[in-house]
DNA sequence: CGTTGCCATTGATCTGCGTCAAGGAAGATC
DNA sequence: GATCTTCCTTGACGCAGATCAATGGCAACG
């Protein structure tokens, strides 16, 4: 999954100051195809906490996250919730060939998305095969991430779950910023305790307790509620129960 | 996910007596492209219990399941296991663009796979875009299934997990056979209790207890260890905690 | 500056499922 | 038909994490 994220970030970077997903999708497009895409796109903004779309609603567009963070969640009748996706800038939302949303999509921070109406986007997919292929790669990456998450949900302890989440978020932006010469990293976690709980299949109380425990044990340090410092990334990885090094650049 | 499975089955059927995945992939191919694929393929057989490939091993082929059942599992260093995929006939194994296996692939029954060497398959993907598009659809379906499974792993009780698994397996082959005029269905479950546990994020003891409980409550009836009769599919669905009707044909 | 609302922390208690352990059923092998 | 092997069932017990409940921090707002 490390490669996945690095690739995404790299592509994300490619488009310079404008991290628009279709540029990532189209990294290998010639300019004519870029033109076509440019004409199709439009932007939508959402405030933190706003719901972008409800599961079961009609969804006539696909989109990519430009800035901010969105989540995909599933809810049972009795209110139990499970987050099934965390959408970061450059991530793709929606599904070609499906007009009904399968998940609730919610903005957890202020959010800007770059949208394409679904039908023209699908037509474009057919006409420009390598875009479809890039989309396939991205989907395969997401599938890998989902399966890694299944291991977390099914078999890891609460402590391991928290450590894994922190490691993943740290890994995502460690290569970009806030990284000093030793293994020290800081992470801005844009989720409430409850959202973390929904992602990890825990309760918010357990999340809070385990974060306190990791702090007590010196694995992490807190600055405020959301900024987390990781003095030694390797120790965090040990806590996460992962067998790999998590793809942290050496 | 119901549509997913029906589609797969339909495509699977299309190729008549020979349920070979590439025919499914190529449902829209013209005959020339079929030719190419025919020349690339070769078959491999495995006995029940045999490991097809270990996570981390080199994997120079992609394949589709012709007959039998295989599983994808992830294992932690201390031996905790989580199944992340159940491969039925017509399902695809392997990943274009990746030569190292990410999961253990194991044959749980005698298994026949139709294989393609990876490199030629990838070349073919580039040349025949609609094959890539079909592969994209399949991957998106798998992603949906994985996310549904995340809800199960993160939030459902042991009883709901068992009921969900039975409902899913029942739904898969209910439309094909063993279905009588009422909601009554029989399911042949080709997994041991331990494999079910690995799939559901439980222990084998809990699986056994919950199956006994469902039997005691009249939700299911057992004939031997593996053949499960479902007198009333709706009641099973209620136990599963799903809000949909599970896509059961009316 | 006090109030309101949201989020986080911490404690006390409960419980569903894991763990450990002891058989039982049914097919395979001799 | 005896023994093995594999898989399954059931019981007793303990614990990780859920639940219930109280309190605290802090920003926004009048």
């Amino acid at each position: 999954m490390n490669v996945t994220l690095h690739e995404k970030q790299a592509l994300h970077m490619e488009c310079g100051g404008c991290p628009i997903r279709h540029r990532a999708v189209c990294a290998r497009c010639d300019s004519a195809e870029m033109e076509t895409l440019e004409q199709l796109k439009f932007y939508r903004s959402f405030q933190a906490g706003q719901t972008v779309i409800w599961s079961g609603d009609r969804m006539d567009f696909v989109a990519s996250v430009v800035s901010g963070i969105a989540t995909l969640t599933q809810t049972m009748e009795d209110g139990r919730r499970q987050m099934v996706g965390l959408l970061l800038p450059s991530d793709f939302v929606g599904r070609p060939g499906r007009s009904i949303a399968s998940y609730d999509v919610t903005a957890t921070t202020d959010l800007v998305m770059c949208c394409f109406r679904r039908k023209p986007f699908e037509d474009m997919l057919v006409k420009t095969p390598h875009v479809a292929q890039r989309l396939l790669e991205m989907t395969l990456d997401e599938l890998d991430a989902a399966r890694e998450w299944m291991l977390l949900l099914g078999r890891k302890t609460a402590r391991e779950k928290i450590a894994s989440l922190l490691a993943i978020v740290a890994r995502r932006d460690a290569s970009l910023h806030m990284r000093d010469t030793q293994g020290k990293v800081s992470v801005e976690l844009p989720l409430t305790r409850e959202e973390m709980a929904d992602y990890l299949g825990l309760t918010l109380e357990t999340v809070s307790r385990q974060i306190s425990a990791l702090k007590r044990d010196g694995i992490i340090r807190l600055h405020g509620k959301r900024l987390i410092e990781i003095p030694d990334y390797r120790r965090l990885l040990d806590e996460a129960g992962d067998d790999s090094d998590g793809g942290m650049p050496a």
Side-chain angles (χ1 to χ4, degrees), chain A:
Chain A
M1 222 186 87
N2 42 331
V3 179
T4 299
L5 287 164
H6 284 156
E7 281 176 3
K8 281 189 182 171
Q9 294 294 357
L11 284 164
H12 177 185
M13 288 295 103
E14 265 177 23
C15 47
C18 170
I20 300 169
R21 176 38 157 212
H22 69 276
R23 289 194 186 265
V25 172
C26 282
R28 291 175 298 220
C29 285
D30 64 28
S31 55
E33 285 155 355
M34 284 303 293
E35 284 298 306
T36 314
L37 273 168
E38 285 295 330
Q39 287 160 15
L40 288 174
K41 78 179 184 188
F42 59 99
Y43 292 92
R44 295 181 64 184
S45 296
F46 299 87
Q47 292 177 353
Q50 245 188 313
T51 296
V52 175
I53 196 156
W54 295 100
S55 169
D57 280 1
R58 181 158 198 87
M59 183 170 179
D60 291 317
F61 60 92
V62 297
S64 70
V65 175
V66 175
S67 65
I69 292 184
T71 61
L72 301 181
T73 55
Q74 282 186 303
T75 309
M76 295 171 68
E77 301 133 333
D78 60 6
R80 280 176 283 176
R81 288 161 54 87
Q82 177 64 49
M83 201 180 292
V84 296
L86 188 63
L87 300 172
L88 305 173
S90 93
D91 280 332
F92 188 79
V93 196
R95 186 184 154 152
R98 170 169 302 170
S99 57
I100 303 293
S102 306
Y103 315 101
D104 298 336
V105 182
T106 312
T108 58
T109 65
D110 287 347
L111 179 73
V112 179
M113 297 201 311
C114 176
C115 305
F116 305 88
R117 280 182 303 118
R118 198 167 49 78
K119 198 68 185 61
F121 186 82
E122 285 168 13
D123 295 343
M124 189 273 299
L125 272 189
V126 173
K127 276 187 245 132
T128 58
H130 54 278
V131 178
Q133 275 163 34
R134 175 69 194 125
L135 200 54
L136 174 59
E137 276 175 54
M138 286 166 39
T139 307
L140 286 165
D141 286 342
E142 277 191 82
L143 186 56
D144 277 345
R147 284 173 167 162
E148 189 165 323
W149 213 251
M150 285 169 67
L151 175 63
L152 178 146
L153 290 172
R155 294 303 187 193
K156 289 190 179 178
T157 65
R159 184 181 176 103
E160 288 169 340
K161 285 178 176 181
I162 299 285
S164 297
L165 177 60
L166 295 180
I168 284 174
V169 177
R171 191 173 61 205
R172 166 172 58 82
D173 49 29
S175 50
L176 297 181
H177 52 260
M178 289 199 290
R179 183 141 192 286
D180 76 10
T181 40
Q182 353 274 39
K184 194 157 119 188
V185 189
S186 286
V187 176
E188 173 91 49
L189 236 196
L191 301 178
T192 66
R193 299 290 184 258
E194 185 173 20
E195 285 162 342
M196 293 173 68
D198 283 343
Y199 204 5
L200 298 169
L202 297 170
T203 60
L204 68 92
E205 292 95 332
T206 298
V207 169
S208 181
R209 271 187 257 271
Q210 294 300 333
I211 287 180
S212 298
L214 288 174
K215 189 173 82 179
R216 174 170 36 70
D217 299 344
I219 310 290
I220 60 175
R221 269 194 281 270
L222 288 187
H223 305 283
K225 295 296 163 71
R226 302 287 178 87
L227 186 62
I228 295 175
E229 179 189 327
I230 302 165
D232 182 349
Y233 188 76
R234 295 229 145 254
R235 277 185 74 199
L236 182 66
L237 275 185
D238 288 345
E239 295 293 337
D242 291 331
D243 40 359
S244 78
D245 70 351
M248 189 72 171

